[in-house]
Each structure stands twice: as structure tokens, then as C-alpha cells.
Amino acid sequence: MNGRTLALSMAAVAFIIGGVWVARNDDWAVPSAFAAEKAMLAPKPQLDAPSAGKLETAVFAGGCFWGVEGVFSHVKGVHSAVSGYSGATGKPRGYDNVSTGRTGFAEAVRVTFDPRVVSYGDLMRIFFSVATDPTTLNYQGPDHGTQYRSALFPINPAQAKAARAYLTQLGKSGLWKDRIVTTVEPYRGFHEAEGYHQDFMERNPRYPYILRWDRPKLEALKTLLPERYAVKASR
């Protein structure tokens, strides 16, 4: 049983016991009835990746791809957010195989974006603010294993430089009590996940796991970074 199955019963408990508050960063706090992972307003990156002005791609891994995809699909300037697998060579051979935690692949999301509207640095800020907890090693929320690690997969040297600089900046920020364990890993390709994983949050808004773990991330985006939020999800 993985965390997503376990969360079905946990969600019912959450409905009964009521709300909690996610972590506070100065005057920012996001109330949510079901939030478990912390939402923190990360600082703007001091270094960003330069852009050529055309559509670009970025790959992020931050636990279950349903929530990460769901967040990025509602960011202005994002043309598509696709769930898949990244972080290893060869072929992932499907969700069940990746879920063993022995393939080296991580659940990841490929984001295609217009850098004239949202930059790579902006996407990193959103990612660390609401989509992932950078202090949990090989797990996010109820999901445990290396396939749920928090990682950045830069696809070019400019992204790699910006990613490393931002992790250093975040480490010095003091926002998180625990050490940041998000990694910057070589990009070894991206493999799209099965069709039933795509747009999962959008197609299943009342699914218990979504309500318990992922919907709060979207609410945090709307609250912490409202200027970045797009009402209509990209496809």
C-alpha cells in the first residue's frame, strides 16, 4: 500500500477533526482544512536563468506528481504541465515499477512555459513555496521512497547554475528549521506517465487524496502568490 491508498482513509478523519494551519512565514499563513505539508513564501531568486524569449521546458520532482502538476498547470505563463518520470537512464517501465523505489526514477513534472510571462526562477520559487517540502528526504507527505524525492532536473547549464544558486540562497534564508535536502540532478530525459495520471487533480477534484494532500497546495498558490495564479488550468 502506498501513501495514496492510505490517504483515502486518512482523508475521512480530516473531514471530522477539522482544520489546521500551515507554517507561518512572517505575516503569511495559509489556512487549510486538510494541509499537512508546509507552505512557505520563498524569496525571489537572486539569480535567474537567462531566456531566449521562446517557449522553454523545466522538470521538477517534488513527491506525488498529481499535486506538482496541479500547481504548475494553474500558473500564468505555463503552457503545459505533464506528469512523468525522470532521474534515471533507460525506461521506467510504468508506474508500478517506479513505485518499487528501486529504479532511480522519480515522479516528476515537465513544465513548458513562456519565459516572457514566468521565468525559470519564478517556477522554482513557486515550487519551493507551495509544491514541495525541501527538508524531507525521499518522501513527501504520506508517500515514501526515492521515487518521491525532491529534485530539480535542469535541462541546460543556465538552469543548473540558477538551481544551485537558489538552493544555496534558500539554505541561508532560515525559512526552514531543518536542512534542505532537495537535489540538483543531471537531466537524463523525461518519460510521460500513463494517461490516467495526467490532469488528475483537474479531473478528480473530490478524490480523497487530492483533498487531503494536493488541493491545499493550489490554495496556497492562490494565497501566497495570487499574481501567478491562473484560474483556468493549462493542458
Side-chain angles (χ1 to χ4, degrees):
M1 176 186 295
N2 62 25
R4 278 173 245 194
T5 304
L6 179 62
L8 300 184
S9 57
M10 293 174 65
V13 175
F15 277 112
I16 296 171
I17 65 175
V20 296
W21 286 86
V22 296
R24 181 178 293 276
N25 172 18
D26 296 326
D27 292 330
W28 289 99
V30 182
S32 173
F34 314 114
E37 296 169 287
K38 298 175 183 178
M40 303 287 277
L41 183 60
K44 295 180 179 179
Q46 296 170 347
L47 178 68
D48 207 339
S51 166
K54 58 183 180 180
L55 292 183
E56 298 181 6
T57 301
V59 178
F60 300 86
C64 171
F65 43 30
W66 293 347
V68 179
E69 181 207 278
V71 166
F72 281 127
S73 69
H74 279 278
V75 172
K76 292 178 181 177
V78 168
H79 283 230
S80 70
V82 178
S83 291
Y85 313 104
S86 194
T89 57
K91 296 182 179 180
R93 292 188 294 144
Y95 174 75
D96 288 342
N97 192 47
V98 172
S99 293
T100 65
R102 297 191 295 268
T103 67
F105 283 100
E107 292 195 14
V109 174
R110 182 183 64 204
V111 181
T112 302
F113 63 99
D114 184 346
R116 296 169 297 183
V117 181
V118 61
S119 71
Y120 181 65
D122 295 329
L123 294 176
M124 288 196 295
R125 187 188 189 202
I126 292 167
F127 178 67
F128 286 107
S129 292
V130 304
T132 193
D133 182 342
T135 69
T136 54
L137 182 63
N138 295 330
Y139 79 92
Q140 291 287 312
D143 302 314
H144 290 246
T146 58
Q147 70 273 27
Y148 296 115
R149 66 188 182 272
S150 177
L152 303 173
F153 298 104
I155 66 169
N156 57 48
Q159 286 188 1
K161 184 176 180 180
R164 293 190 181 94
Y166 195 45
L167 285 179
T168 299
Q169 180 185 344
L170 293 181
K172 295 178 179 178
S173 70
L175 288 179
W176 293 273
K177 292 191 305 180
D178 298 323
R179 182 173 63 92
I180 291 175
V181 295
T182 301
T183 55
V184 178
E185 302 182 22
Y187 178 67
R188 297 186 174 96
F190 179 87
H191 305 264
E192 290 191 19
E194 296 81 349
Y196 66 89
H197 286 301
Q198 307 302 333
D199 303 312
F200 193 91
M201 184 190 296
E202 196 72 15
R203 293 185 295 102
N204 302 278
R206 305 301 299 174
Y207 194 73
Y209 182 98
I210 294 296
L211 290 173
R212 177 67 176 85
W213 299 101
D214 292 337
R215 184 70 191 183
K217 298 177 182 180
L218 194 56
E219 295 303 317
L221 173 65
K222 293 165 64 175
T223 303
L224 294 180
L225 294 161
E227 72 280 7
R228 296 293 178 190
Y229 176 72
V231 175
K232 185 177 180 180
S234 60
R235 295 291 184 176

